[in-house]
Amino acid sequence: MQTGSRLLDQRIGVCALGGLGARVHDEIGRPPPEIWMQDGAKRVEQALARRLCAEYDGETELMAAMRYATLQGGKRTRALLCMAAGALAGTSSARVLDEVGAAIEMMHACTLVHDDLPAMDDDVLRRGLPTVHVKFGEATAILVGDALQAHAFMILASLETPGDHRIALVRELAQAVSAEGAAGGQAMDLSLVGKHVELDKIVAMHRMKSGALVRASVRMGALCAISDDAAHAALYGALNRYGDCFGLALQVIDDILDATADTATLGKTPGKDAAAQKPTCASIMGLQAARQFASDLLRDAGETIVPLGPRAERLAQILQRANALLFKYTPCA
């Protein structure tokens, strides 16, 4: 799922999210309370830069293209979800969370590079810059995606954490991009172009194509410290529901932005879905209903983590940030 990186940085009021309440920042420059997001994104950026070191550049442009695909900005939402869930689970090592977050962001970048290819969504802009295949060529772009995926698993395999945790993390990320996740969702997306389909089919596709990696990001933060077993069924049940709702909400918001925002705001080409005759939640439901759908999903995600208490505060703050983006285009009633 992709949304405009510049949008979430604006300090705008946040409407209430179910039982979570609201945080409204003033407009005179007071920094928001979610300072940990800025610090977390910075740490993940540093971890990515370490892992994709320019010193490894050889006779090809592959590493340069990998850095270009990964280090050109971005909200790092998936890494922050991992960190927030890690804090909830009591993960003791910030460095482990940084590394897992970097692996997740590499995998996300892989999906974006491949998604932009001419054979897929055929886009020429990403975060306001030429896409990887435009700048480096299509063959290199394919290799960039392949290499980023491999590097993500290399990071997880080399974590300084117990072996059973590493196995669980590798399994979780692999499943998120498998035929049951992002790859299968992309295939379904391509198969639906130009067709009249029911909303539930679009929802199923979104849950796979973009939602699976969001859900995995939440789960992987907890898996750094706590096993997904019978003793922790309630915790993972709540995290699964949160990730499912939030992942789908992000994609619905992306559908809305594709139809309403401009290139300067999005950092990518607007109106691509309609031009490609791709059915989306926004095109099937209409913009107003899609906005309400996204708002309901964010509310449901918030209500899911209320029983987890103060430990879930960071997960709640991420919801509030997404809600701010949604209501930038739909004022609160």
Side-chain angles (χ1 to χ4, degrees):
M1 195 292 302
Q2 308 95 29
T3 55
S5 61
R6 303 172 192 173
L7 296 175
L8 288 177
D9 295 329
Q10 300 183 32
R11 293 170 187 166
I12 51 183
V14 183
C15 302
L17 287 174
L20 294 177
R23 288 178 192 267
V24 180
H25 310 316
D26 62 36
E27 298 179 358
I28 59 174
R30 186 177 69 181
E34 298 86 355
I35 298 299
W36 73 269
M37 295 188 194
Q38 299 172 13
D39 179 62
K42 181 179 179 180
R43 296 202 324 265
V44 168
E45 206 75 23
Q46 292 169 341
L48 287 166
R50 286 195 305 269
R51 291 289 186 164
L52 300 173
C53 183
E55 295 178 0
Y56 298 150
D57 288 344
E59 297 180 359
T60 73
E61 293 185 303
L62 180 58
M63 182 56 73
M66 291 168 67
R67 291 173 62 83
Y68 180 84
T70 312
L71 298 174
Q72 295 297 326
K75 301 175 294 299
R76 307 306 182 198
T77 299
R78 289 150 192 80
L80 293 176
L81 286 168
C82 174
M83 291 177 175
L88 182 151
T91 303
S92 59
S93 173
R95 183 175 177 85
V96 167
L97 286 175
D98 294 349
E99 294 287 297
V100 174
I104 292 169
E105 290 295 331
M106 283 187 188
M107 190 63 77
H108 179 50
C110 162
T111 66
L112 297 183
V113 171
H114 282 175
D115 193 48
D116 289 334
L117 287 168
M120 300 291 183
D121 280 358
D122 192 15
D123 213 333
V124 298
L125 285 176
R126 171 69 60 185
R127 294 167 182 159
L129 297 170
T131 46
V132 176
H133 71 271
V134 171
K135 186 171 179 65
F136 294 94
E138 189 173 346
T140 296
I142 293 170
L143 293 174
V144 164
D146 293 343
L148 285 173
Q149 183 172 131
H151 278 245
F153 287 121
M154 287 167 59
I155 291 175
L156 297 181
S158 62
L159 289 172
E160 295 180 359
T161 192
D164 58 337
H165 289 183
R166 294 198 302 272
I167 292 171
L169 289 165
V170 168
R171 181 187 299 115
E172 192 69 35
L173 188 58
Q175 183 172 346
V177 295
S178 69
E180 299 174 358
Q186 179 71 23
M188 186 183 299
D189 191 17
L190 294 171
S191 73
L192 299 179
V193 171
K195 297 180 180 177
H196 175 75
V197 296
E198 299 299 324
L199 179 62
D200 59 354
K201 191 103 171 181
I202 300 299
V203 168
M205 180 269 291
H206 283 337
R207 289 194 186 281
M208 295 170 66
K209 181 179 177 181
S210 55
L213 187 56
V214 170
R215 182 176 186 265
S217 300
V218 178
R219 288 175 52 82
M220 289 172 73
L223 287 170
C224 289
I226 299 174
S227 299
D228 182 4
D229 53 26
H232 304 106
L235 171 64
Y236 277 97
L239 293 180
N240 291 344
R241 176 66 177 164
Y242 173 96
D244 285 341
C245 290
F246 187 46
L248 181 55
L250 287 181
Q251 186 57 58
V252 177
I253 293 171
D254 187 57
D255 290 348
I256 295 169
L257 292 176
D258 183 78
T260 60
D262 58 20
T263 300
T265 302
L266 280 175
K268 60 178 184 174
T269 308
K272 288 282 294 182
D273 293 337
Q277 295 184 303
K278 292 177 61 175
T280 67
C281 289
S283 67
I284 292 175
M285 303 175 71
L287 287 175
Q288 194 59 41
R291 287 178 174 120
Q292 186 60 53
F293 184 35
S295 179
D296 291 345
L297 286 165
L298 292 173
R299 182 203 62 222
D300 290 348
E303 291 177 350
T304 294
I305 58 173
V306 167
L308 301 180
R311 294 183 303 160
E313 180 182 9
R314 292 186 174 185
L315 289 172
Q317 290 170 346
I318 294 176
L319 287 179
Q320 291 162 356
R321 192 173 75 164
N323 206 49
L325 172 62
L326 175 62
F327 281 89
K328 171 70 174 179
Y329 295 90
T330 307
C332 300

